[in-house]
Amino acid sequence: MRKRIVLPLSSIDSMNGFHDLVASMLEFPSYYGRNLDAFRDGITDNIEDIDIVLVGVSALPDDLKSELTAYVELLREYQEKSNGKLKLFLE
């Protein structure tokens, strides 16, 4: 069964907050490294049949939005390669 995970980015104010949110909501392992490489591993190794909805990206402060760009791009790239396992939505 396909899962839908909504990540309310308005609830974060730092990259630490982002990593806390994704680790919890995406059920990453306890050893999640809290960086882009670890995020990539968590997405590509553990995610199947999931819709990820990022809510509030446009409302984030510019510095945080800039830092999150690489993570959003990684999700977009994996979406293209995943044969439908992952679908990304920005709201």
Side-chain angles (χ1 to χ4, degrees):
M1 182 171 174
R2 190 164 195 91
K3 289 171 52 175
R4 181 176 176 89
I5 303 293
V6 177
L7 299 174
L9 299 181
S10 60
S11 68
I12 66 166
D13 60 2
S14 66
M15 286 306 294
N16 282 333
F18 171 76
H19 287 294
D20 290 343
L21 180 66
V22 297
S24 172
M25 298 294 290
L26 297 176
E27 300 176 357
F28 284 175
S30 60
Y31 56 84
Y32 171 59
R34 304 173 65 86
N35 59 51
L36 187 60
D37 289 334
F39 182 78
R40 177 183 295 111
D41 291 344
I43 293 295
T44 59
D45 294 346
N46 301 313
I47 301 297
E48 290 194 19
D49 296 326
I50 189 168
D51 295 342
I52 296 178
V53 184
L54 300 179
V55 178
V57 174
S58 61
L60 291 172
D62 288 341
D63 59 333
L64 188 53
K65 194 183 315 180
S66 177
E67 288 185 78
L68 287 175
T69 299
Y71 292 83
V72 173
E73 287 305 312
L74 186 145
L75 288 168
R76 285 184 175 141
E77 289 172 16
Y78 186 66
Q79 176 180 243
E80 291 177 18
K81 297 175 183 177
S82 72
N83 295 320
K85 287 182 186 179
L86 180 138
K87 293 183 182 176
L88 175 65
F89 301 91
L90 301 176
E91 295 182 359

